[in-house]
């Protein structure tokens, strides 16, 4: 399944790069009015091998405002 593919990719990257450590930069934006937290993350090492960019938006749970 998907988890097996992810583990295989991680193992392959480890073999090619020779390290389990990578450096990333993250920017976090808090919007108190919208009650959201948005993060942007990207790698700054091994960029010749791969580019990883991630955007996550965290917000209040629609049916449970306490979350």
């Amino acid at each position: 399944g998907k988890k097996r593919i992810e583990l295989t990719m991680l193992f392959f990257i480890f073999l090619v790069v020779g390290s389990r450590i990578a450096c990333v930069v993250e920017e976090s934006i808090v919007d108190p009015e919208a009650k959201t937290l948005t993060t942007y993350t990207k790698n700054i090492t091994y960029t010749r091998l791969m580019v990883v960019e991630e955007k996550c938006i965290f917000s209040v749970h629609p049916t449970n405002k306490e979350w």
Side-chain angles (χ1 to χ4, degrees), residues 7-21:
L7 290 174
T8 302
M9 290 290 293
L10 289 173
F11 181 71
F12 172 75
I13 292 166
F14 172 69
L15 287 177
V16 171
V17 175
S19 176
R20 290 190 230 180
I21 299 172

Side-chain angles (χ1 to χ4, degrees), residues 30-38 57-67:
V30 176
D31 184 340
E33 291 180 15
K35 295 185 178 180
T36 60
L37 168 67
T38 304
I57 302 173
F58 301 90
S59 61
V60 177
H61 192 280
T63 60
N64 186 348
K65 303 299 180 191
E66 298 297 316
W67 287 22

Side-chain angles (χ1 to χ4, degrees), residues 32-52:
E33 291 180 15
K35 295 185 178 180
T36 60
L37 168 67
T38 304
T39 61
Y40 298 93
T41 308
K42 82 185 256 186
N43 64 306
I44 57 173
T45 54
Y46 313 121
T47 55
R48 289 184 178 173
L49 177 64
M50 66 182 165
V51 175
V52 178

